[in-house]
Amino acid sequence: MFWRLKSFVALRQVIGVEYELLLQRRLAGRGVPFESEDELRSLGLTKTPDVRLGLPVGVQDPRSGQWREVNWIDSKALFGDKVRRVQSARAATGHAV
């Protein structure tokens, strides 16, 4: 049973890295300047999103129609349950730049 848990954790890590790389490729392909999590950590930052955008991007909220300024993206390859949403929301407050 323990090996299954270790395999699941390893799989989650691999999926997370793959989605981060996909995010970086898509941003680069669209010419969006950004710094990766590794680059931010090399600057001594301890709380880092997956990417910090070089310039803010405007995104329209589909529910309210309001425009929001986006400065960073934290990719979540696995999410959905209430516990994970609460953890993600708490983590997001630490990324304010």
Side-chain angles (χ1 to χ4, degrees):
M1 182 79 156
F2 180 69
W3 64 270
R4 287 184 184 169
L5 178 60
K6 286 180 73 174
S7 296
F8 178 71
V9 170
L11 177 62
R12 282 181 47 166
Q13 289 174 335
V14 168
I15 291 171
V17 169
E18 286 294 320
Y19 271 82
E20 287 178 30
L21 293 174
L22 175 64
L23 171 63
Q24 291 176 15
R25 282 194 301 268
R26 292 228 172 142
L27 290 172
R30 287 174 173 76
V32 177
F34 67 91
E35 295 170 289
S36 71
E37 185 172 16
D38 290 337
E39 291 169 323
L40 295 171
R41 288 207 173 141
S42 73
L43 297 173
L45 300 175
T46 55
K47 292 188 177 185
T48 58
D50 291 333
V51 295
R52 181 169 66 179
L53 302 175
L55 299 169
V57 174
V59 176
Q60 190 173 24
D61 184 328
R63 288 179 274 176
S64 70
Q66 293 182 327
W67 285 88
R68 309 283 186 193
E69 183 178 292
V70 175
N71 293 287
W72 54 268
I73 301 172
D74 204 13
S75 162
K76 295 296 176 204
L78 301 170
F79 63 95
D81 64 11
K82 185 176 180 179
V83 172
R84 181 142 332 263
R85 285 192 306 270
V86 169
Q87 289 172 341
S88 296
R90 286 183 182 151
T93 60
H95 295 316
V97 186

